[in-house]
Amino acid sequence: MDFIFNRQIIGGIVPALLTVSILVEICFAQNVPAYFVFGDSLVDPGNNNYIVTLAKANYIPNGIDFGMPTGRFTNGRTVVDIIGNFSPGQELGFKDYVPPYLAPTTAGAVMLQGVNYASGGGGILNETGKIFGGRLNLDAQIDNFANSRQDIISSIGAPEALTLFGKAFFFVTIGSNDFLDNYLIPVISAVKQKLVTPNVFVGAMISRYRLQLMRLYNLGARKIIVANVGRIGCVPYQRDINLFTGDACVSFSNQLDQLFNAELKSLITDLSTNLQGSKFVYADAYSIVEDIQKNYISYEEFEPCLRSKENFMFYLTGFENANSACCYLVGRFEGLTPCGSLSKVCSDRSKYVFWDPFHPTEATIMFSLQGISWMVTPMTYTHEHWATCSIVIKA
């Protein structure tokens, strides 16, 4: 089914989004043959289903609005699911979601439209996420892409494969677990925090990230979108384990985010300048999430101007809860336990910003995409550029 939306500008979100300039030449069409995804549980489509790990989401009530649990850590689709289905002129409108690398069916011609390597619990640093057992950190994900790359070269030949990689989009969103499941782990990380300053820890992350992004470039990636880290100090889990903050977000955690994001932005600028033929884009997820959390009641702009005969629930009114998890069991902000079979679920997921202690609802993701300037060049677009752009969403 198709819905057409005119891009509408929402108050405070505009300045951040205008500098994001992310993702796909949807409004100013060029063909995108494939879409390769790297990251953590925000974009894991089910890779963790195939490894021994505590970080799994392939059970109810996860996926309640997707139709079934798939391993996605949300009630419905992830951001890369939705982006992959944007389809004006079929620039990115893939019929199917980008498949998980570890799925047995992800082989042969299927890989020619892209692969998702993301893994819940994964991080930039290889020690991140050890508390979960198995997980694929970014180095391992890039190793897996190198394997896919060789398979694709063997299938269609090196010249055609390199052309495909050069035109494809590479989306990377990772880093929050390096804080949540490494530097900020309660009790376990107390010694690390005393011995390693935030500046040193973030410096180690950025140094490793530089090598990883350069490796992607050397493997043929040219259009690389890198999202920064969102406001981890405002997720229900952080609020529940830091009771002294009261109703406020955890400032120290958000300060870590901001320190990392500033260094990441400089890194992306440097790589874009010095890697010939590259188009790196910095996606400011932090500012987008901040605006949603601060102005959540006013998010009432999403109204389809074309409906198909099929039924499709969309988000026509503002959020009602920006602090607590929709899938919950224990905690003041319902953030002390993962979403699981014993959890209760809010009746209207479209009214909640958070699905579980860490992850957004599909409604939040949809609103975060509204108004974004879909260009794969680090440009700043004016209000007039946005006003003329429409999106068709395939669902």
Side-chain angles (χ1 to χ4, degrees):
M1 75 191 93
D2 298 356
F3 295 101
I4 299 178
F5 296 89
N6 290 322
R7 290 186 186 263
Q8 300 172 355
I9 308 304
I10 303 177
I13 204 169
V14 176
L17 292 180
L18 287 176
T19 59
V20 170
S21 305
I22 99 188
L23 221 42
V24 269
E25 293 115 327
I26 279 187
C27 299
F28 309 91
Q30 286 186 14
N31 186 52
V32 179
Y35 187 26
F36 297 95
V37 181
F38 305 81
D40 51 31
S41 55
L42 291 172
V43 290
D44 183 351
N47 279 307
N48 279 21
N49 299 350
Y50 303 95
I51 61 179
V52 179
T53 179
L54 295 176
K56 287 183 181 287
N58 58 339
Y59 45 78
I60 56 173
N62 294 294
I64 189 171
D65 297 310
F66 196 92
M68 62 179 180
T70 61
R72 290 167 171 82
F73 291 78
T74 186
N75 62 302
R77 296 171 296 174
T78 69
V79 62
V80 294
D81 292 330
I82 296 167
I83 291 168
N85 287 150
F86 275 113
S87 180
Q90 295 297 314
E91 283 80 23
L92 249 192
F94 302 128
K95 293 181 180 180
D96 300 314
Y97 298 118
V98 181
Y101 172 78
L102 291 179
T105 54
T106 304
V110 171
M111 295 190 296
L112 298 181
Q113 283 197 329
V115 180
N116 189 324
Y117 303 90
S119 172
I124 294 168
L125 302 175
N126 287 320
E127 67 267 23
T128 291
K130 283 184 178 179
I131 58 173
F132 299 119
R135 76 275 180 218
L136 300 173
N137 285 320
L138 188 52
D139 282 322
Q141 293 179 35
I142 298 174
D143 287 342
N144 290 337
F145 169 67
N147 293 334
S148 298
R149 178 182 183 272
Q150 191 55 51
D151 290 341
I152 291 172
I153 288 174
S154 298
S155 174
I156 63 176
E160 193 170 341
L162 293 177
T163 297
L164 182 147
F165 299 139
K167 291 182 178 180
F169 285 103
F170 290 75
F171 184 86
V172 189
T173 177
I174 201 164
S176 61
N177 289 331
D178 293 283
F179 297 117
L180 292 170
D181 303 318
N182 187 336
Y183 195 72
L184 293 176
I185 300 175
V187 181
I188 296 174
S189 66
V191 173
K192 177 179 287 188
Q193 289 182 33
K194 291 180 179 179
L195 297 177
V196 181
T197 67
N199 284 316
V200 170
F201 185 79
V202 167
M205 289 176 64
I206 292 295
S207 295
R208 190 72 214 163
Y209 213 178
R210 175 185 292 274
L211 295 175
Q212 291 162 337
L213 292 174
M214 289 180 65
R215 187 180 175 204
L216 273 181
Y217 172 84
N218 290 331
L219 288 169
R222 290 298 179 268
K223 298 175 180 179
I224 305 174
I225 302 96
V226 182
N228 67 10
V229 173
R231 303 176 81 208
I232 61 170
C234 298
V235 301
Y237 168 75
Q238 277 285 296
R239 288 184 165 189
D240 266 338
I241 67 170
N242 293 279
L243 296 178
F244 60 87
T245 61
D247 291 332
C249 297
V250 183
S251 59
F252 178 65
S253 300
N254 284 343
Q255 288 166 10
L256 289 174
D257 282 357
Q258 292 168 336
L259 178 61
F260 172 78
N261 290 342
E263 293 295 322
L264 177 61
K265 189 172 184 179
S266 296
L267 171 62
I268 296 307
T269 299
D270 181 59
L271 293 176
S272 297
T273 301
N274 293 301
L275 295 181
Q276 185 177 5
S278 68
K279 294 181 180 178
F280 281 86
V281 175
Y282 176 82
D284 191 1
Y286 186 100
S287 294
I288 296 171
V289 173
E290 180 179 39
D291 188 86
I292 290 174
Q293 290 177 327
K294 288 183 176 180
N295 303 293
Y296 63 95
I297 295 176
S298 65
Y299 273 71
E300 302 177 335
E301 306 295 330
F302 250 35
E303 296 186 12
C305 49
L306 177 66
R307 295 180 184 270
S308 76
K309 62 183 179 180
E310 300 174 70
N311 293 321
F312 183 71
M313 184 188 76
F314 217 79
Y315 316 108
L316 301 180
T317 58
F319 292 108
E320 295 177 356
N321 190 315
N323 302 325
S324 301
C326 168
C327 183
Y328 64 95
L329 186 61
V330 179
R332 181 186 176 198
F333 297 98
E334 322 292 7
L336 291 179
T337 57
C339 182
S341 57
L342 297 179
S343 300
K344 301 176 183 179
V345 179
C346 62
S347 59
D348 188 348
R349 273 79 66 187
S350 71
K351 300 297 185 182
Y352 277 68
V353 169
F354 290 102
W355 164 244
D356 66 10
F358 303 98
H359 306 98
T361 59
E362 182 180 307
T364 303
I365 295 167
M366 292 299 299
F367 276 116
S368 72
L369 293 175
Q370 185 180 9
I372 290 178
S373 177
W374 298 102
M375 285 291 290
V376 181
T377 48
M379 298 179 181
T380 297
Y381 270 75
T382 64
H383 181 99
E384 287 72 23
H385 285 96
W386 293 42
T388 59
C389 181
S390 295
I391 314 169
V392 177
I393 298 179
K394 291 258 186 187

